[in-house]
Amino acid sequence: IKGIDADIKEQKVVLFGAGSAGIGIAELITQAMMQEGVSKEEAKSKIFVMGRNGLAHTGSEGLDDLKKGFAQREEVIKDWGVEDMQHIPLLETIQHVKPTILIGTSTQPNTFTEKVVTEIKKHVARPIIFPLSNPTSKSEAHPQDLLKWTKGQALIATGSPYAPVVYEGKTYVIGQCNNVFIFPGVGLGVIASGANRVTDRMFLEAADVLSRYAPILNNPYASLFPRLTELRAIS
């Protein structure tokens, strides 16, 4: 099923929020795809970044340097037949891209609407949806809504802490996507090895290790992130 057991190189990603956090995530996803054997150009063709004026493409006016690196080719977007090439909104982007992953770093609350989420669910059995903006008041969506709109099938991690959600008699533990799971181990590794710089590859290796501790490996409806009590062993 795409969105849970397919290779990273097969995913299509929409990043809602194209500041340094969103572009940093896009860069690491690109590197992860390249490690699986695709070219940088092909990897970037699967990643769609959205700023305050909508989807970034090579014909967008006023793109900053961050967005330029991930701007989709204008001629590809023109084939969509959108109403306004300078302001392509999230829903319209979802309809054409048919992503398997939606990540929010926008700080715009409640922008992952029911229409957006149900559109994603049409094309992938278990969509990955990460509303990462924090605090909770800035979150793009709330887990209870995402589970309701996807009939319990969304794979969710959030930037803010959320209590478990009960949906149709099942309890879903919501993992917090927090750098506390990565930085201690990377820092320890840098000190122990005497490395003089920190590379993207280090973070990809750390993410790979962290993924081995994901409770969802043993239960398809468990959290994507382990308990904090496991942090020392993971680090």
Side-chain angles (χ1 to χ4, degrees):
I1 300 170
K2 275 190 177 180
I4 184 165
D5 62 3
D7 288 340
I8 184 72
K9 65 185 178 185
E10 295 179 27
Q11 309 300 317
K12 285 186 177 179
V13 185
V14 170
L15 278 155
F16 187 69
S20 57
I23 297 300
I25 292 168
E27 292 281 6
L28 281 174
I29 292 174
T30 300
Q31 294 295 325
M33 288 183 175
M34 289 170 65
Q35 283 191 184
E36 294 298 315
V38 304
S39 68
K40 189 171 187 176
E41 184 179 37
E42 183 181 351
K44 286 189 171 185
S45 74
K46 298 172 181 288
I47 300 171
F48 298 77
V49 303
M50 304 196 64
R52 58 173 53 92
N53 291 323
L55 179 66
H57 57 81
T58 54
S60 298
E61 297 171 358
L63 283 187
D64 58 35
D65 289 340
L66 284 174
K67 298 181 189 69
K68 281 179 182 176
F70 285 90
Q72 290 286 323
R73 287 172 30 233
E74 181 182 14
E75 54 268 32
V76 172
I77 307 305
K78 276 185 174 177
D79 288 343
W80 293 359
V82 299
E83 186 174 325
D84 183 354
M85 285 289 287
Q86 294 303 318
H87 298 87
I88 304 174
L90 180 58
L91 179 59
E92 201 164 8
T93 300
I94 296 293
Q95 289 169 337
H96 292 283
V97 173
K98 300 177 177 58
T100 55
I101 301 172
L102 175 62
I103 298 173
T105 57
S106 70
T107 70
Q108 296 182 41
N110 305 314
T111 41
F112 292 177
T113 63
E114 183 174 3
K115 279 187 177 180
V116 164
V117 173
T118 53
E119 183 65 32
I120 294 173
K121 184 64 176 66
K122 289 179 185 177
H123 311 292
V124 56
R126 300 208 66 189
I128 295 170
I129 305 177
F130 284 14
L132 297 184
S133 293
N134 56 56
T136 307
S137 61
K138 303 287 189 183
S139 184
E140 289 83 5
H142 300 291
Q144 63 266 33
D145 290 328
L146 295 177
L147 288 167
K148 180 173 69 175
W149 297 334
T150 63
K151 296 181 169 54
Q153 295 303 300
L155 299 168
I156 303 166
T158 57
S160 300
Y162 279 91
V165 175
V166 178
Y167 174 76
E168 292 195 346
K170 292 179 183 171
T171 299
Y172 297 76
V173 177
I174 308 302
Q176 187 180 0
C177 185
N178 193 296
N179 56 27
V180 72
F181 289 108
I182 294 291
F183 282 1
V186 171
L188 181 63
V190 169
I191 293 167
S193 65
N196 57 21
R197 63 192 183 99
V198 177
T199 66
D200 286 347
R201 181 67 181 270
M202 291 178 185
F203 286 106
L204 292 175
E205 292 293 337
D208 180 65
V209 171
L210 178 62
S211 72
R212 300 176 209 165
Y213 288 82
I216 199 170
L217 294 174
N218 300 312
N219 175 352
Y221 301 101
S223 172
L224 292 175
F225 283 81
R227 294 179 181 273
L228 277 174
T229 52
E230 296 180 80
L231 183 57
R232 181 178 293 274
I234 294 167
S235 296

